[in-house]
Amino acid sequence: MTPTADIIRGVCEGSIRAIARALSLVENGSPDSADILDKLFSRQQGFTLGITGPPGAGKSTLVSRMITRYRSADNSVGVIAVDPSSPFTGGALLGDRIRMQSHATDSRVFIRSMGSRGHLGGLSGATRDASCVLSAAGYSPVLIETVGVGQAEVEVADLADITLLVLVPGLGDDVQSMKAGIMEIGDIIVLNKADRNGIDQLESYVKASLEFMPPGLKKPEVVRISAVTGEGLEDLWNAINRLVAAQSGIDRRSRSAVKTLNDILQENGLIFSEKLLELEYNGREAAEELILAGQLSPYAIGKKLLERAERMFEHNGSK
Ligand SMILES: Nc1nc2c(ncn2[C@@H]2O[C@H](COP(=O)(O)OP(=O)(O)OP(=O)(O)O)[C@@H](O)[C@H]2O)c(=O)[nH]1
Ligand SMILES: [Mg+2]
């Protein structure tokens, strides 16, 4: 048996060593990673929960609370802490390790930090692939914490099935809400540090801003919490559960199939991807159906199209 096959089997059996190995391979974009992800893609289960917001908003504190809550409901929980400003990858960043250390000895909690290095698909590609590994290993939800409210974070937030946008009093309304479109990131807007002054003001401000959301978009629910005291956490938990219940597993899988296929084609630099999809699979829709049926993964399709493109170029070159 090849080492890759061992890793894949280990991940599916929930072996911590195999999961850590698989994560390192996919984060670094190793040549074996496409094979690993190909086999794991259809084994993903459960859902991903994104937690994003400005620096210091209390995201890690909230993540730690969420871990406790999900563990008490007997879920295994994966955590990916994404820091676009850090070149480091693997292991856990010091701050996160401290804030989440109460979970460090729990074998059903897997925490991984991600920096900006190495992956062809950038940070969001690396996060997507790491999330695939954790999800296939049986962790649900996979919590994805991202710092900031810029483009990189929007992309990461877009990966998650449900995203919490965490805002706090006093960080400057311009940073938090005035940025065009920032409110649209969140399925739920979490107003954290409700134990602090300024929370009422923040809530009125956020609610007023939501009035300006483009028509047709679903308005996010606004929930007040204090990640430190625990106030409001049960309301947040209920709001998340309502959203999870409203999405079907098939909706989640089909959204993920479409998005992952798009991303992979882009990462492989396949500029004529529509034409190639037509030639190889009778078009994009048919390819997406194969993914949904569990017959092919987006990774396998990317590889196949790349090979086809290479053959076409060789053929032209040899004329
Ligand atoms: N008063 C108060 N402080 C809080 C609350 N939640 C978090 N904090 C504090 O805010 C600080 C930052 O919390 P973190 O959880 O590290 O925030 P973060 O958003 O993960 O920070 P980065 O990952 O660095 O962006 C810590 O000192 C927390 O103790 C809260 O509800 N109330
Ligand atoms: Mg943090």
Side-chain angles (χ1 to χ4, degrees):
M1 187 168 287
T2 65
T4 312
D6 284 343
I7 292 172
I8 295 165
R9 203 194 48 225
V11 169
C12 296
E13 288 168 356
S15 143
I16 303 289
R17 274 193 57 197
I19 296 166
R21 185 87 192 99
L23 286 173
S24 298
L25 291 171
V26 305
E27 280 163 18
N28 297 322
S30 119
D32 291 333
S33 63
D35 257 359
I36 294 174
L37 293 162
D38 172 38
K39 298 292 184 311
L40 296 181
F41 188 82
S42 66
R43 294 189 164 257
Q44 292 180 87
Q45 42 190 301
F47 69 100
T48 50
L49 183 65
I51 293 114
T52 191
K59 300 176 296 295
S60 298
T61 312
L62 174 59
V63 165
S64 186
R65 289 275 188 181
M66 298 305 287
I67 297 173
T68 307
R69 191 64 184 82
Y70 279 108
R71 289 295 295 117
S72 74
D74 206 29
N75 293 45
S76 295
V77 185
V79 179
I80 304 174
V82 184
D83 185 352
S85 65
S86 165
F88 299 110
T89 173
L93 298 177
L94 187 61
D96 294 321
R97 207 184 296 153
I98 291 165
R99 264 180 285 291
M100 298 178 197
Q101 73 183 354
S102 55
H103 305 286
T105 53
D106 184 341
S107 66
R108 288 179 59 193
V109 177
F110 200 110
I111 301 173
R112 187 83 172 183
S113 292
M114 303 273 276
S116 54
R117 244 184 0 195
H119 196 284
L120 201 59
L123 202 48
S124 67
T127 306
R128 175 200 64 223
D129 292 349
S131 165
C132 173
V133 171
L134 289 178
S135 177
Y139 294 93
S140 176
V142 174
L143 309 176
I144 304 173
E145 175 185 338
T146 353
V147 189
V149 286
Q151 188 53 39
E153 297 76 30
V154 173
E155 279 170 20
V156 174
D158 197 35
L159 290 173
D161 295 311
I162 292 167
T163 300
L164 313 182
L165 173 63
V166 184
L167 301 176
V168 284
L171 272 188
D173 296 334
D174 49 337
V175 187
Q176 302 195 65
S177 347
M178 291 304 284
K179 274 200 179 166
I182 186 65
M183 296 292 190
E184 290 155 35
I185 295 181
D187 297 302
I188 300 175
I189 298 185
V190 177
L191 308 180
N192 188 33
K193 308 200 184 180
D195 54 296
R196 289 250 181 104
N197 286 337
I199 191 78
D200 290 330
Q201 215 180 338
L202 176 65
E203 180 163 0
S204 336
Y205 185 78
V206 165
K207 288 194 165 155
S209 306
L210 287 178
E211 295 304 315
F212 294 104
M213 261 179 72
L217 284 181
K218 190 167 173 284
K219 278 204 177 48
E221 198 169 329
V222 179
V223 183
R224 256 192 209 212
I225 67 158
S226 167
V228 160
T229 67
E231 176 194 338
L233 282 169
E234 227 24 52
D235 294 338
L236 176 59
W237 166 259
N238 290 330
I240 295 168
N241 286 342
R242 278 196 294 277
L243 288 181
V244 173
Q247 287 178 341
S248 67
I250 186 84
D251 286 346
R252 279 196 282 273
R253 282 199 299 282
S254 110
R255 186 173 166 274
S256 150
V258 170
K259 180 163 170 36
T260 310
L261 180 60
N262 270 333
D263 290 353
I264 300 290
L265 296 181
Q266 228 172 43
E267 282 163 33
N268 284 346
L270 287 165
I271 35 180
F272 300 115
S273 54
E274 294 309 319
K275 188 72 202 161
L276 289 168
L277 281 168
E278 198 61 55
L279 290 170
E280 197 72 41
Y281 299 105
N282 285 322
R284 176 181 286 269
E285 268 183 36
E288 285 166 4
E289 272 167 32
L290 288 170
I291 301 175
L292 270 177
Q295 292 176 17
L296 270 180
S297 78
Y299 299 92
I301 293 178
K303 193 171 165 192
K304 190 95 180 214
L305 296 191
L306 204 55
E307 285 163 4
R308 179 139 195 167
E310 276 165 6
R311 280 203 308 278
M312 287 163 79
F313 276 115
E314 272 165 24
H315 182 69
N316 279 342
S318 63
K319 263 187 192 168

